Amino acid sequence: MYDVVLLVEQELSEPDAKRVVELHEDMPDQVKYHVLVPCHNAEAGVEASISALGTADLYGPGLATQRQDLAEAQKAIDSEAKGCSGRSVQRLRDLGKTAEGGISHERPIDALIATVDAAKGQEVVILTRPHVVAEFFHLDWTNSARRHLKVPVLHLLEHSSQKENAS
């Protein structure tokens, strides 16, 4: 079994699923895909934003009263991420491949490292939209993964959906 970990920024489109599968069509071993979707932490994001603005003293105590709203927002975020992971896995399975998936609230690179270790991943494929500034300064997921992992790391740009092209 050849294990490939996919770190995806958004749902794996049908063309992207085909492209990933084509990368491994000549593999002598069966390929298993492990789809990882990073999931935003709503509460940490709000707290970080407030701290960055230097207004924690003004809004910090008020944040405690917003915990219920943040918990509901987190449930919605988690639900969307789980759906994204599930649909991505299903696209790979529809192409006859073995796949599993999950979400993580950790930093994406930390989650990727843990997933590669747990799955005994032999290759990483990262699918993102273009991030010119992060890539220029080598702060993007791909460069971070290459610094931390001892497996091949391939970066693919996600195909734009027709819906995005129409706008």
Side-chain angles (χ1 to χ4, degrees):
M1 180 74 62
Y2 187 78
D3 291 277
V4 177
V5 178
L6 299 174
L7 176 61
V8 297
E9 190 171 28
Q10 59 190 22
E11 184 176 321
L12 194 61
S13 69
E14 194 173 316
D16 286 333
K18 288 178 182 175
R19 195 164 50 143
V20 167
V21 167
E22 287 171 357
L23 291 172
H24 306 102
E25 64 188 0
D26 294 331
M27 291 293 298
D29 297 331
Q30 182 180 359
V31 177
K32 181 175 185 180
Y33 295 98
H34 306 267
V35 179
L36 175 62
V37 178
C39 188
H40 181 70
N41 183 324
E43 186 172 329
V46 169
E47 289 177 352
S49 297
I50 289 172
S51 295
L53 294 172
T55 57
D57 293 337
L58 297 173
Y59 297 106
L63 188 60
T65 62
Q66 302 299 317
R67 298 263 186 244
Q68 182 63 32
D69 292 338
L70 289 172
E72 289 176 23
Q74 190 65 55
K75 283 182 188 175
I77 291 168
D78 289 354
S79 177
E80 177 57 31
K82 288 175 184 173
C84 170
S85 174
R87 289 184 299 272
S88 296
V89 166
Q90 190 58 51
R91 284 203 174 93
L92 293 165
R93 289 179 179 167
D94 288 347
L95 294 169
K97 298 302 172 186
T98 304
E100 63 182 28
I103 67 170
S104 175
H105 295 101
E106 294 179 63
R107 285 179 354 127
I109 293 304
D110 293 340
L112 177 63
I113 292 167
T115 303
V116 169
D117 288 345
K120 302 206 182 335
Q122 295 152 285
E123 181 181 332
V124 170
V125 178
I126 299 175
L127 284 95
T128 66
R129 297 180 308 267
H131 296 283
V132 178
V133 174
E135 290 170 12
F136 178 78
F137 289 108
H138 302 286
L139 301 173
D140 60 305
W141 292 349
T142 305
N143 281 296
S144 293
R146 286 179 179 145
R147 284 192 297 272
H148 291 92
L149 295 168
K150 293 180 172 67
V151 298
V153 177
L154 175 64
H155 180 212
L156 299 175
L157 294 178
E158 296 170 335
H159 274 102
S160 296
S161 69
Q162 294 198 357
K163 186 181 194 180
E164 290 172 321
N165 290 336
S167 46

